[in-house]
Amino acid sequence: MTNRYVIAVSMLAGAAFSTAPLGGLNAQEVDSAIQQSHAALAAILKGDPSLYKALFSNRDDVTLGNPFGPFVGGRSKVEETVTAAASNYRDGEVTGVELVAKYVCGDLACVVEVERGRAKVGGANETAPVALRVTSLFRLESGAWKLVHRHADPITSARPAASVINKE
């Protein structure tokens, strides 16, 4: 990410838990992009990465951090990683999405959510509950809100301090 976007994300993080469209932005367009991300979640829980691939920006500064590995950057690496992540799920469904916060500032929008679903994960034969805390950063590009960063991890409840110790 360029310094401009790092600064903008920092400014967004300091905002209150509210939507604050600036510069004549259409809040409905941001909400539409968020709904597209929920549809992409529903597809990925069935093993289909195509909706996420379509939602991500085509620019090479995109980044992704998912529960199955380290952060990746660049359009091709993000596509590979989304495809690999989708291969871990099948027969799933979204059971709920909890909006924690949404920030809109200029040509950036940040959404913080807890995504919940059920899916067969890995080689499991039974569906299991899945819950992820997610931060998504959208950028307005040529009149459309595109996903430029997504971070999802399974930490949705309090953990002991020792849980941050890297045992590798």
Side-chain angles (χ1 to χ4, degrees):
M1 280 204 280
T2 65
N3 287 341
R4 175 177 168 231
Y5 291 108
V6 171
I7 292 167
V9 170
S10 298
M11 292 182 342
L12 288 171
F17 291 107
S18 66
T19 302
L22 301 175
L25 293 177
N26 185 337
Q28 291 177 330
E29 291 172 354
V30 173
D31 289 342
S32 176
I34 294 167
Q35 290 305 314
Q36 289 174 42
S37 74
H38 297 163
L41 170 64
I44 211 162
L45 290 175
K46 291 177 179 12
D48 177 3
S50 64
L51 296 182
Y52 266 121
K53 288 180 179 182
L55 188 56
F56 269 100
S57 168
N58 287 319
R59 297 182 188 170
D60 210 40
D61 63 347
V62 297
T63 53
L64 173 64
N66 75 26
F68 304 109
F71 284 105
V72 297
R75 178 65 191 202
S76 64
K77 285 287 189 189
V78 166
E79 282 197 17
E80 288 173 24
T81 303
V82 167
T83 299
S87 73
N88 291 303
Y89 298 110
R90 63 191 195 292
D91 301 331
E93 65 180 346
V94 176
T95 59
V97 178
E98 174 189 341
L99 177 65
V100 176
K102 177 172 67 171
Y103 314 99
V104 180
C105 181
D107 63 352
L108 292 175
C110 180
V111 180
V112 181
E113 298 172 308
V114 176
E115 298 175 343
R116 298 183 190 282
R118 296 190 56 78
K120 293 178 182 174
V121 182
N125 292 322
E126 300 295 321
T127 61
V130 176
L132 299 170
R133 69 176 177 179
V134 178
T135 303
S136 300
L137 184 62
F138 295 88
R139 177 174 55 209
L140 189 59
E141 297 178 0
S142 303
W145 288 95
K146 301 301 281 185
L147 190 58
V148 293
H149 174 74
R150 176 177 163 87
H151 174 237
D153 68 47
I155 302 174
T156 58
S157 61
R159 303 274 171 110
S163 71
V164 301
I165 297 171
N166 188 343
K167 298 175 184 169
E168 289 183 46

